[in-house]
Amino acid sequence: MRIVVLRHGETAWNDEGRMQGWAPVPLNETGREQATAAGRYLADEYEFDAVYASDLERTRETTERVATMLPATNVEYDAAFRERDVGMYQGLTYDTVFEKYPRFALGKAAAEAAREVPESGESLVNMYDRVTEGIEQIAARDHDTVLLVTHGGPIHLLHGYAKGMDVPEAMLAHEQDNCGINVFDAAEAIESVTENATPWR
């Protein structure tokens, strides 16, 4: 089995450098263009027999745009593939969180605080557990090629999971562009094949 993982397109909050978490933020015009271009590329390159996605607004919108270019395939939306719930820090700029709450920003301090829970949110370890359980459930199903549309944080952790990294290392070792394409081989174990490719540009 092959699992192709796509990050959602750009949102206004991405452009403004705001922490999105579970916020219902739609794609902006750039994000819509990215999703359409990525969808064309994916339709040309792969024959998907299943599509899964995070159930948050930006991934739903990305998935809907991509799915219009694919043969009729039902989409299963699953909260397991949501971005991290950043709780009270949702909507704040990364600069503000870096300055005042570095354990819940991005970077070394946040990665090292992988087990810490922001107020009304979840830890990186919580996210890791639900995302890796979700990918293993997909891998156990009878598919050949699957599309999964999700977020940057989960994708970092999936690559880390495939490489045997711990959570802090996985968060620090990877980058992910909007509508970056990632490929995992799930024939036996989850293996990372392609990282953050943007051939649709």
Side-chain angles (χ1 to χ4, degrees):
M1 181 197 289
R2 177 169 49 189
I3 303 174
V4 179
V5 183
L6 178 71
R7 188 187 177 199
H8 63 80
E10 184 182 276
T11 71
W13 283 21
N14 284 138
D15 189 46
E16 295 165 6
R18 295 186 181 278
M19 297 188 76
Q20 296 183 101
W22 291 5
V25 184
L27 301 183
N28 61 14
E29 186 56 38
T30 297
R32 290 189 283 272
E33 291 171 359
Q34 291 169 336
T36 298
R40 289 196 190 103
Y41 172 82
L42 292 170
D44 287 342
E45 290 293 315
Y46 300 100
E47 293 185 9
F48 296 108
D49 54 358
V51 179
Y52 297 87
S54 157
D55 61 348
L56 296 177
E57 183 168 350
R58 56 197 184 273
T59 39
R60 280 183 176 272
E61 188 176 351
T62 301
T63 305
E64 288 165 2
R65 285 183 169 267
V66 171
T68 62
M69 299 171 218
L70 305 178
T73 302
N74 289 335
V75 178
E76 183 175 322
Y77 293 99
D78 191 338
F81 299 109
R82 288 182 174 191
E83 184 57 274
R84 181 187 186 183
D85 182 358
V86 292
M88 64 178 289
Y89 306 114
Q90 183 172 289
L92 297 180
T93 66
Y94 284 106
D95 287 345
T96 297
V97 180
F98 269 123
E99 180 181 345
K100 296 184 177 180
Y101 318 103
R103 293 173 303 153
F104 301 115
L106 297 176
K108 187 175 181 181
E112 290 175 348
R115 294 187 178 278
E116 295 197 34
V117 180
E119 185 176 338
S120 71
E122 67 177 341
S123 70
L124 288 171
V125 169
N126 293 150
M127 179 171 68
Y128 176 87
D129 289 343
R130 63 173 166 79
V131 169
T132 55
E133 181 179 348
I135 201 78
E136 288 291 357
Q137 288 179 357
I138 290 175
R141 296 175 185 173
D142 185 21
H143 297 309
D144 291 322
T145 303
V146 171
L147 175 63
L148 169 61
V149 184
T150 183
H151 308 263
I155 296 172
H156 293 166
L157 295 177
L158 287 174
H159 282 298
Y161 181 58
K163 299 173 186 178
M165 295 177 173
D166 63 18
V167 172
E169 186 179 7
M171 293 302 295
L172 293 170
H174 302 99
E175 295 184 4
Q176 196 63 206
D177 294 326
N178 289 112
C179 282
I181 295 170
N182 306 266
V183 180
F184 294 85
D185 184 347
E188 295 182 6
I190 305 293
E191 297 180 6
S192 177
V193 177
T194 302
E195 295 183 34
N196 196 27
T198 54
W200 47 266
R201 289 190 189 276

